[in-house]
Amino acid sequence: MEETIRRFKEHLAKQHAYEHALGVLYYDAETVMPRAGGEGLSRTIGVLSEESYRLSTAPELKELLQTLLENKAAIDWVTQREAEELSENMERMEKIPMEEFVAYQMAQNEASRIWHEAKVNNDYAAFEPHLAKLIEYQRRFAGYMRPELPAYDALLDQYEKGLTMETLDAYFADVRAKLVPVIHAIKERGRKIDDSFMQKQFPVWKQRKLSDFIMQVMTIDRACCAIGEVEHPFTTGFNKRDIRITTHYHEDNLLSSFYSVVHEGGHALYELNTGDDLFCSPLGTGASMGIHESQSRFFENIIGRSEAFLRFMHPKLMELFPEELAGVTPHMLYLAANKSQPSLVRTEADELTYSMHIMVRYALEKQLIAGTLSTKELPAAWNALYREYLGVDVPDDTRGVLQDSHWSGGMFGYFPSYSIGSAYASQIYAAMEKELAVPTLVEKGELAPIVAWLTERIYRFGCLKKPAELIENACGAPFDPAYYTEYLTKKYSEIYGL
Ligand SMILES: [Zn+2]
């Protein structure tokens, strides 16, 4: 058994090395690679992903996994869970022919490059054939991996195990029924919120200092976490001691980067605080995209957009921007950070209307994957849903169907994790509040006890526990979306005096 475990860990280290290299290349492409570097990168990705595919489906690994899984009682918990995860992954991968897998990786890299240009140029026509190709691949892969499921359910399952259209249809119907009346009430009789003081010029070099301060307050260890600048902020990590968050500075919008850093910082805290026993293990990461987003959106919204946090941040903001923010009180900041208004761009949306943006994407993805909507018809369908769900007219594809990077990265079935994650976050907060005086801590800028609470119940487990177990572990009860709609209704009724 000892020898089997040793060989298994050796195999894991090799697989991890390929993933590490691919991850660094991806990060490099998004941050500093010159535009013309794409073609060479594509070839390298082809070679590395072929090797990575071979490793994850290798016959030697299959034998090792069989021995380990037949002797579960004789091995430790971490090794057992690693064997289970790799075995599931192998089962999925084996069903996808290697040539198709490699061709897909290269197609995805190409689509991502074209999308960047198409977005800048408002040129959906240039991106459309690439998108059609990725959808075709995803539909085929879904059929290979889980032939017994509708294709979109198979894709959802990759990001949130067990999540189905049936569950999501009911979830979104409920969220829509509860939140649309609040959105309408704000429009009809909510107080007017003045955020005109945010329409100033905020020098980027000062915003960089603000990012450093936010990361420090969030207890993010800079020896293990770097911050880069990109068009579309994201977080990636290679192991718990090398996490990369990113942001985008807009001179005329202070809150945009502010909340990007808090959001990505939430992702980083999760990865940074996975257990030491999971260092460089495939389990040393978030349990699912929904749980990951629950952490980023917990810090971004529940902590970051709370009155307590803005009271704490106020002196720092006044120190950095004394002229720009002259006369602005903490309460004015709080209202500005929570102004609710149906809008065009998901990443700039307020908490209340956010899930409407997700519903648009969910409705479209279902049809694209089912084959009932073509990529040619997509922009018109997108615009129609924005009118229906948010009451806004989409002026161009840059602020419409081209706004997000997910589809160009072949990620279909990912978007619902944002909404589910927000709902998890509300429930987690309700549980945390029973044990910690959260607003009191936040107002003093003491986030360490909050991070420790989350580490104890969620972070340290990495992928050792499944999403549903983690929610039970943190909340003492199964997932209940009512916390989300109640939290939003209460918060926004107070803000708008409904
Ligand atoms: Zn996120």
Side-chain angles (χ1 to χ4, degrees), residues 201-355:
Q201 291 296 310
F202 298 92
V204 168
W205 69 271
K206 289 190 185 181
Q207 293 198 47
R208 288 198 186 103
K209 287 190 154 186
L210 181 60
S211 301
D212 290 338
F213 181 73
I214 293 170
M215 288 171 78
Q216 184 195 327
V217 172
M218 290 180 78
T219 74
I220 292 172
D221 181 355
R222 295 297 286 272
C224 303
C225 182
I227 179 167
E229 294 176 29
V230 291
E231 186 60 33
H232 301 272
F234 65 90
T235 294
T236 188
F238 314 124
N239 61 64
K240 67 171 287 185
R241 291 190 208 124
D242 187 355
I243 307 297
R244 317 285 176 92
I245 70 166
T246 58
T247 190
H248 182 104
Y249 296 109
H250 299 267
E251 285 243 297
D252 59 352
N253 187 344
L254 177 65
L255 293 180
S256 175
S257 168
F258 182 117
Y259 283 111
S260 280
V261 174
V262 184
H263 178 99
E264 304 306 336
H267 283 304
L269 282 174
Y270 192 174
E271 300 273 334
L272 290 165
N273 290 298
T274 49
D276 285 334
D277 51 344
L278 306 178
F279 181 62
C280 288
S281 157
L283 306 177
T285 184
S288 71
M289 284 336 296
I291 300 285
H292 233 306
E293 288 302 332
S294 80
Q295 295 315 300
S296 53
R297 294 190 58 78
F298 173 82
F299 280 99
E300 176 191 351
N301 295 316
I302 295 180
I303 301 297
R305 285 191 163 87
S306 69
E307 185 145 24
F309 189 67
L310 288 155
R311 248 187 243 144
F312 168 73
M313 286 300 296
H314 186 259
K316 188 70 189 176
L317 289 168
M318 296 313 277
E319 176 196 319
L320 284 169
F321 306 104
E323 280 151 36
E324 295 87 342
L325 296 177
V328 174
T329 64
H331 191 64
M332 284 162 77
L333 270 180
Y334 171 63
L335 294 180
N338 287 288
K339 186 172 180 171
S340 177
Q341 185 167 50
S343 62
L344 290 166
V345 177
R346 175 184 62 87
T347 53
E348 308 286 332
D350 59 85
E351 258 183 291
L352 180 63
T353 58
Y354 186 85
S355 277

Side-chain angles (χ1 to χ4, degrees), residues 153-200:
D153 278 353
L155 299 179
L156 286 171
D157 189 74
Q158 288 183 298
Y159 300 107
E160 201 66 14
K161 213 170 268 307
L163 190 60
T164 62
M165 288 185 274
E166 196 186 343
T167 311
L168 280 176
D169 285 343
Y171 167 78
F172 282 126
D174 181 55
V175 168
R176 207 176 161 192
K178 303 242 170 68
L179 298 187
V180 166
V182 184
I183 295 171
H184 283 164
I186 288 175
K187 200 172 169 197
E188 281 154 21
R189 56 196 162 84
R191 70 161 67 100
K192 297 282 165 273
I193 289 179
D194 176 23
D195 63 348
S196 57
F197 57 85
M198 280 296 171
Q199 277 123 47
K200 298 264 173 62

